[in-house]
Each structure stands twice: as structure tokens, then as C-alpha cells.
């Protein structure tokens, strides 16, 4: 059982700031997913937790104890790498038992632990094979078993599923989630895959260019993205974004742009004239011939319709002219839209997201009808 606290953690490589002053709490038993694009600093952050990369600045606390300078083997953390890093010349049994042998545990205890852990991960019949005689999924499970065998306080997993094919990835995802539930241990899992993050995490930490953009439950991060970056990174298709301007219409605030009129359900606190970016998710837009009064309306043209099997996604251009923004709409198949169709899309004000175009930060319209002006 372990809680991890990260304070002002920074790592530079020459002029590159790989991890930039991150503060983060991982409570005991959490399944925290570090999510972000390639190169955003996920592996560097994880390697600092494991003790494999020394930080340039900041502290790491494990159960309240400062372990920033503690060598990896004394950290009660187990790391699983994307590449599995198995010993090719050792059998599965000896690979799994390696951390116990390295700690000179009694032979009988090691054998019993290896057998128990192999059973949990369905490796019982493979104990005498070598890594090259295993599939990718089996190798990945051996790497997990080797981490599990020590019963560490926390698991650090760096893209452990990314070498698996799609079917195996989905199955192993479910296995890992189940394992976390059964063990109740703390997991820190790195991935660039938003579906992995949404399905496995108890909390997601979104990273961009070494900085923490947002931390929250999958629902929170999806439903209330803190920035344009998070809004664009989570969700498939990505959230539709339309540059707009706030206008006062009979004292009520609207976001308007060519083809767009969106009442925000707010009295105008004096923000009229301000530029914003309006965001709306594909599943919250509905094509209609008769928009309800008070509904947000986006008028445009269908450019492309994608068939996803049970659903369709229609990519629509809002307004017209070169560079007009594109907004996807998603719904049960058939949507009854075809390329070239003129379309009106509607949604309700509570489905709208507003962002500051300069900072990219979310503008919050609650609790009072006041949009905070960025400093
Ligand atoms: N050992 C290193 N030497 C120099 N630069 C590095 C090293 N490790 C990582 N970086 C740089 O730090 C940044 C973050 O890398 P990394 O943590 O591997 O990102 P991610 O795991 O999110 O893809 C990248 O710009 C990468 O090139
Ligand atoms: Mg990485």
C-alpha cells in the first residue's frame, strides 16, 4: 500500500525541459493514468518515480517519506516497461522469480510465489519456456508477473500495452483493471491512448510539453476539459471548436460566428465583444429542421460521412468560406446526412464549452453568470 506525492518535479536534458514543475498526489489504491502525446514527458516522470532518472529539481514522497535520493531497489515500487525487458536466456519461471532471487529470498518461498503469481496471470503452463517461445501478450504478462512477485507498494507501467495487437490490447486492458481491483495497490500507468486512459483510470493526469494540464476522474476530464489541449486530446472524434465572439442579445449572452448562434443561458455581465472558442462534442449535436427556442444552432454543410458500424460521424463545415471551422456530429446509423447537404445542428447551452483563445484555458460560467477575465 503506497501513496505517492510529487512536488515541483522537474527534469531538464540540456535545453529541453522534459518535465516542468509537476505537483501531483497519487492516493493509495489509485489507478492513475499519465496521458499525453509522444514526447510530453510521461516516461521521464515515471522513470523519476522509479529512481532511474534523477530529477533536476523537486521531491518525491512515498507514504510521506522523501525518496528522491533513494536507489531504485529500495523504493518498494515495481516498473514494467513497454519493451518488457525480459532476460532472453532465462525461463519464464526464472524471469518471474528474478527480483526475489536478487533479494536472496529462500528458494522454497521464491518457487511458491512464482507459482502463485503465474497462476493469477494464466502463465502456469508456460513456466519452462523462454521469452522467444512466447507471444507478445504472454511476454507482457511475464513482465507483469515479475513486477507482481515482490508484492510492491505501487506499480509503474510505461505503455505496457502498446506492443500488443488491438484484440489483445483490449483483453489485457480488462485484465489489468481486474488485477488492480483485486490487489488494491497503487498503479501509475503511462499511455498516449485516450481509450486506455478513459477505460482503466480512476484518475487521469493529462500532460502537455512537460506540464500538467488537468487531473481528474475520466468523467470529469472528458465532461469539463480544463483547456483546449485537453478538449482536443480526449474524445473521438475530437471536440468541435468554433472561434466566436460574445454578443449581448436583449441582455442575454450569445456566442456568435458565421453560421453560429449559441445562447449561453447567461445574463450579460459585460463580456460582450470578447473573443472565445466555443466547443461542442459530436454526440451532443443533433441535426434538425426545427431548432427549439433557446437552443444553440450551427448552420453549415456536410463534407464527409463516416460509417462506424452502429453509429455515423458526419463532418460539417460551419458557415462558409475558406478556413471555416469543422464540427463533427455523431449519432446512430443512419444519420440521414450526405456530403453536400445543408444542415442545421442544435444543442443545449449546458453542452457548450467556452475557452479563452489566448491562453486556451476553460472559461467557467458558474456559479454566478460571470466569465472570469484572464489575468
Ligand atoms: N535521456 C534523454 N536525453 C535527452 N533528452 C531526453 C532523454 N529522455 C527524454 N528526453 C526528451 O525529453 C522529452 C520527453 O521525453 P519522454 O519522457 O520520453 O516523453 P514521452 O514518454 O511522453 O514520449 C522529449 O523531448 C525527449 O526527447
Ligand atoms: Mg515514453
Amino acid at each position: 500500500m503506497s501513496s505517492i506525492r510529487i512536488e515541483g518535479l522537474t527534469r531538464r536534458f540540456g535545453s529541453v525541459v522534459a518535465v516542468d514543475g509537476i505537483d501531483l498526489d497519487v492516493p493509495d489504491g489509485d489507478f492513475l493514468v499519465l496521458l499525453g502525446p509522444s514526447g510530453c514527458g510521461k516516461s521521464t516522470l515515471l522513470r523519476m518515480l522509479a529512481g532511474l532518472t534523477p530529477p533536476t529539481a523537486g521531491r518525491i514522497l512515498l507514504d510521506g517519506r522523501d525518496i528522491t535520493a533513494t536507489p531504485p531497489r529500495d523504493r518498494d515500487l515495481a516498473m514494467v516497461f513497454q519493451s518488457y525487458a525480459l532476460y532472453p536466456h532465462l525461463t519464464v519461471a526464472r524471469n518471474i522469480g528474478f527480483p526475489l532471487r536478487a533479494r536472496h529470498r529462500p528458494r522454497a518461498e521464491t518457487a511458491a510465489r512464482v507459482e502463485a503469481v503465474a497462476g493469477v496471470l494464466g502463465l502456469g503452463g508456460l513456466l519452462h519456456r523462454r521469452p522467444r517461445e512466447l507471444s507478445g501478450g504472454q511476454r507482457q504478462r511475464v513482465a507483469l508477473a515479475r513486477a507482481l512477485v515482490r508484492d510492491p507498494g505501487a506499480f509503474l507501467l510505461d505503455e505496457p500495452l502498446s506492443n500488443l495487437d488491438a484484440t489483445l490490447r483490449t483483453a489485457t486492458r480488462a485484465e489489468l483493471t481486474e488485477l488492480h481491483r483485486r490487489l488494491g495497490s497503487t498503479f501509475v500507468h503511462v499511455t498516449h491512448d485516450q481509450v486506455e486512459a478513459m477505460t482503466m483510470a480512476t484518475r487521469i493526469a493529462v500532460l502537455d510539453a512537460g506540464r500538467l494540464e488537468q487531473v481528474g476522474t475520466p468523467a470529469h476530464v472528458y465532461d469539463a476539459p480544463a483547456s483546449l489541449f485537453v478538449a482536443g486530446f480526449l474524445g473521438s472524434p475530437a471536440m468541435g471548436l468554433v472561434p466566436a465572439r460574445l454578443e449581448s442579445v436583449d441582455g442575454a449572452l450569445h456566442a456568435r460566428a458565421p453560421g453560429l448562434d449559441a445562447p449561453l443561458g447567461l445574463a450579460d455581465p459585460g463580456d460582450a465583444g470578447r473573443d472565445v472558442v466555443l466547443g461542442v462534442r459530436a454526440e451532443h449535436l443533433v441535426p434538425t429542421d426545427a431548432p427549439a427556442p433557446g437552443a444553440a444552432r450551427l448552420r453549415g454543410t456536410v463534407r464527409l460521412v463516416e460509417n462506424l458500424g452502429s453509429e455515423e460521424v458526419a463532418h460539417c463545415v460551419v458557415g462558409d468560406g475558406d478556413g471555416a471551422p469543422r464540427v463533427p456530429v455523431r449519432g446512430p446509423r443512419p444519420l440521414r446526412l450526405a456530403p453536400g447537404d445543408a444542415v442545421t445542428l442544435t444543442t443545449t447551452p449546458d453542452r457548450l464549452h467556452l475557452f479563452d483563445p489566448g491562453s486556451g484555458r476553460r472559461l467557467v460560467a458558474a456559479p454566478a453568470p460571470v466569465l472570469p477575465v484572464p489575468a
Side-chain angles (χ1 to χ4, degrees), residues 353-371:
H353 307 259
L354 291 181
F355 301 94
D356 179 72
S359 67
R361 304 308 294 178
R362 179 185 192 82
L363 299 168
V364 186
V370 172
L371 297 169

Side-chain angles (χ1 to χ4, degrees), residues 35-293:
L35 175 69
S38 176
C40 72
K42 306 179 297 294
S43 292
T44 304
L45 180 52
L46 204 68
R47 291 175 59 84
M48 287 195 282
L49 294 182
L52 301 172
T53 298
T56 311
R59 297 205 304 164
I60 302 163
L61 306 177
L62 188 64
D63 289 327
R65 195 167 53 89
D66 189 334
I67 58 157
T68 316
T70 305
R73 59 166 298 151
D74 299 329
R75 287 191 183 204
D76 195 27
L77 303 167
M79 182 139 168
V80 178
F81 299 89
Q82 177 179 357
S83 60
Y84 318 138
L86 300 178
Y87 301 104
H89 57 291
L90 297 183
T91 61
V92 167
R94 289 184 67 79
N95 263 288
I96 297 175
F98 190 86
L100 298 182
R101 284 200 308 283
R103 284 168 178 75
H104 306 294
R105 307 305 289 266
R107 191 179 291 231
E109 180 198 318
T110 299
R113 281 292 298 163
V114 167
E115 198 157 315
V117 167
V120 166
L121 289 171
L123 294 167
L126 306 174
L127 285 171
H128 298 292
R129 293 205 195 167
R130 303 202 191 258
R132 65 169 178 277
E133 298 163 321
L134 302 176
S135 69
Q138 290 167 337
R139 283 180 209 175
Q140 199 268 355
R141 274 186 278 156
V142 174
L144 266 177
R146 188 176 54 184
L148 210 62
V149 78
R150 272 201 303 120
D151 194 16
F155 293 92
L156 309 177
L157 305 126
D158 193 353
E159 312 231 15
L161 309 183
S162 61
N163 284 343
L164 306 180
D165 65 44
T167 310
L168 199 54
R169 194 156 61 227
T170 307
T172 314
R173 206 164 73 199
E175 264 176 40
L176 260 182
T177 306
E178 173 58 28
L179 192 65
H180 170 252
R181 251 188 230 124
R182 197 146 21 109
L183 298 174
S185 319
T186 309
F187 281 61
V188 182
H189 177 107
V190 160
T191 183
H192 64 272
D193 182 313
Q194 50 150 329
V195 176
E196 229 170 275
M198 287 297 293
T199 52
M200 298 174 82
T202 52
R203 288 189 317 143
I204 299 176
V206 185
L207 293 177
D208 179 30
R211 289 173 177 271
L212 199 54
E213 284 278 313
Q214 185 172 13
V215 186
T217 62
H220 182 72
V221 173
Y222 187 83
D223 293 340
S227 65
L228 283 170
F229 178 84
V230 178
F233 199 77
L234 277 162
S236 179
M239 182 185 282
L241 298 170
V242 182
R245 177 161 291 177
L246 298 183
E247 291 180 15
S248 185
V249 181
D250 300 330
L253 209 55
H254 288 227
R256 286 186 160 172
L260 166 74
D261 183 17
L264 300 178
L266 302 171
D268 176 18
D271 277 312
R274 182 174 167 175
D275 289 330
V276 295
V277 176
L278 178 131
V280 58
R281 293 222 181 263
E283 65 270 31
H284 294 146
L285 284 169
V286 183
T288 181
D289 297 326

